[in-house]
């Protein structure tokens, strides 16, 4: 049970790319060496409907909530709902904006993504983020050939946060869960454009993260196949054999940060040419 205290859910809500939040969240998390965040990144949240979906996800896995949402109504909704759920929330830009406003004597112009210059790179990141969110967790398999990278892996191998990190750098990334007994989509095998990579981690690491996710979601704290190490070992064995059969590179993320995993994937992509 002590290992659960080493992990916490960190929810990052942005009406833009989320880069500011990711940087801020990781900079602060690094100061707490005994704890590691399980990141949940929600970029391009600009409507009440989108936000309510995010808030339901937070309610299922409570943790710290950081957000940069300039729309006052949506910002207030985050604050109120998080307060009602009993989870801490911080509007990261608001304290800084208040200082600027006081010193400059000028009202805050609430422009979404104002920190980004509207150049070709910016629009590429937005397009990549849209693609990545649409292709999360095995969605829209018919367009995998439009991806730059497809990440495979069993549950809790950091597929989604790695894809979001890559998307913030203009890389279109999709991810697909590997589940023993469930065939991967045929469109994946037909795809010629993307680099396909399989992520793995140690049995102990995956078990810890899964246990904490179940704990944070308020689920049954008893033993389950989802957290059982013998079952996880079999899942990893299946993932390795699948990658070997298809000559897909494998990256062990046990001791890697999201940035390091993304860098390793980009290096493989560069080698591939």
């Amino acid at each position: 049970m002590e290992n659960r205290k080493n992990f916490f859910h960190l929810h990052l809500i942005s009406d833009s790319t989320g880069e500011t939040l990711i940087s801020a969240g990781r900079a602060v998390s690094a100061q707490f060496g005994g704890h590691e965040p399980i990141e949940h990144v929600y970029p391009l949240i600009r409507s009440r409907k989108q936000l309510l979906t995010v808030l339901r996800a937070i309610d299922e896995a409570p943790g710290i909530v950081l957000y940069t949402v300039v729309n006052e109504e949506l910002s207030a909704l985050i604050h109120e709902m998080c307060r009602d759920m009993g989870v801490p929330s911080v509007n990261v830009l608001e304290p800084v904006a208040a200082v600027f406003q006081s010193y400059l004597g000028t009202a805050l112009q609430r422009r979404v993504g104002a920190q980004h210059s509207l150049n070709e790179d910016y629009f590429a990141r937005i397009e990549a983020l849209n693609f990545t969110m649409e292709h999360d967790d095995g969605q829209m398999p018919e367009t995998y050939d439009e991806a730059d990278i497809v990440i495979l892996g069993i549950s809790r191998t950091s597929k989604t946060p790695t894809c979001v990190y890559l998307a913030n750098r203009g890389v279109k990334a999709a991810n697909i869960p590997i589940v023993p007994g469930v065939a991967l989509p045929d469109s994946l095998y037909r795809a010629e454009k993307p680099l396909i990579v399989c992520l793995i981690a140690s049995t102990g690491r995956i078990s810890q993260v899964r246990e904490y996710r179940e704990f944070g979601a308020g689920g049954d704290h008893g033993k389950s196949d989802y957290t059982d190490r013998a079952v996880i070992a079999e899942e990893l064995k299946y993932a390795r054999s699948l990658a070997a059969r298809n000559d897909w590179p494998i990256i062990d993320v046990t001791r890697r940060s999201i940035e390091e995993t993304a860098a390793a994937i980009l290096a493989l992509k560069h080698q591939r040419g």
Side-chain angles (χ1 to χ4, degrees):
M1 294 291 289
E2 288 300 315
N3 287 330
R4 289 174 177 162
K5 297 180 182 178
N6 293 331
F7 299 92
F8 65 95
H9 292 286
L10 179 60
H11 298 274
L12 308 171
I13 309 172
S14 174
D15 53 18
S16 188
T17 64
E19 288 181 274
T20 301
L21 280 178
I22 292 171
S23 298
R26 289 177 182 169
V28 177
S29 296
Q31 305 304 313
F32 296 86
H35 300 78
E36 185 169 349
I38 300 171
E39 292 183 351
H40 307 266
V41 184
Y42 313 98
L44 304 174
I45 302 301
R46 299 178 181 178
S47 72
R48 184 182 179 88
K49 181 179 179 181
Q50 289 175 311
L51 182 54
L52 288 175
T53 299
V54 170
L55 291 169
R56 282 193 291 271
I58 294 172
D59 193 30
E60 292 175 0
I64 297 172
V65 178
L66 304 181
Y67 60 100
T68 51
V69 176
V70 298
N71 181 285
E72 293 183 87
E73 181 182 347
L74 297 182
S75 180
L77 181 58
I78 295 173
H79 175 75
E80 292 168 8
M81 292 292 289
C82 286
R83 180 194 60 203
D84 292 344
M85 288 186 284
V87 298
S89 66
V90 179
N91 186 337
V92 172
L93 294 182
E94 201 67 28
V96 180
V99 172
F100 273 65
Q101 185 168 309
S102 175
Y103 183 80
L104 298 175
T106 303
L108 176 67
Q109 297 179 15
R110 295 185 174 274
R111 292 184 292 136
V112 174
Q115 72 272 30
H116 301 288
S117 58
L118 299 182
N119 54 27
E120 185 176 340
D121 288 342
Y122 173 72
F123 287 112
R125 289 198 300 274
I126 295 298
E127 183 181 359
L129 268 171
N130 283 327
F131 182 90
T132 294
M133 299 309 291
E134 290 172 350
H135 293 78
D136 184 44
D137 201 33
Q139 297 182 84
M140 297 184 67
E142 66 277 5
T143 50
Y144 282 152
D145 203 38
E146 297 177 17
D148 298 310
I149 291 168
V150 176
I151 296 178
L152 310 176
I154 69 171
S155 174
R156 314 326 308 168
T157 48
S158 302
K159 299 185 296 298
T160 295
T162 301
C163 283
V164 171
Y165 185 91
L166 289 167
N168 271 304
R169 276 136 192 83
V171 178
K172 292 181 179 179
N175 75 80
I176 309 172
I178 292 178
V179 180
V182 178
L184 294 174
D186 291 338
S187 57
L188 177 67
Y189 297 103
R190 293 195 302 268
E192 298 180 357
K193 177 187 174 185
L195 168 70
I196 302 172
V197 179
C198 179
L199 302 187
I200 63 168
S202 70
T203 300
R205 161 72 175 177
I206 292 174
S207 179
Q208 286 178 351
V209 177
R210 288 184 179 184
E211 284 177 358
Y212 188 80
R213 181 167 180 81
E214 285 198 338
F215 179 78
D220 183 5
H221 304 328
K223 201 70 172 177
S224 70
D225 285 348
Y226 186 62
T227 58
D228 185 270
R229 295 193 178 206
V231 175
I232 293 171
E234 286 301 312
E235 291 181 49
L236 288 168
K237 181 180 178 181
Y238 175 73
R240 286 179 181 275
S241 66
L242 192 62
R245 287 200 306 270
N246 292 280
D247 198 27
W248 295 329
I250 296 174
I251 297 177
D252 190 329
V253 302
T254 304
R255 299 186 182 279
R256 293 179 190 263
S257 65
I258 300 299
E259 296 92 335
E260 289 169 332
T261 300
I265 292 172
L266 291 174
L268 287 171
K269 187 173 184 295
H270 179 73
Q271 292 170 13
R272 184 188 183 206

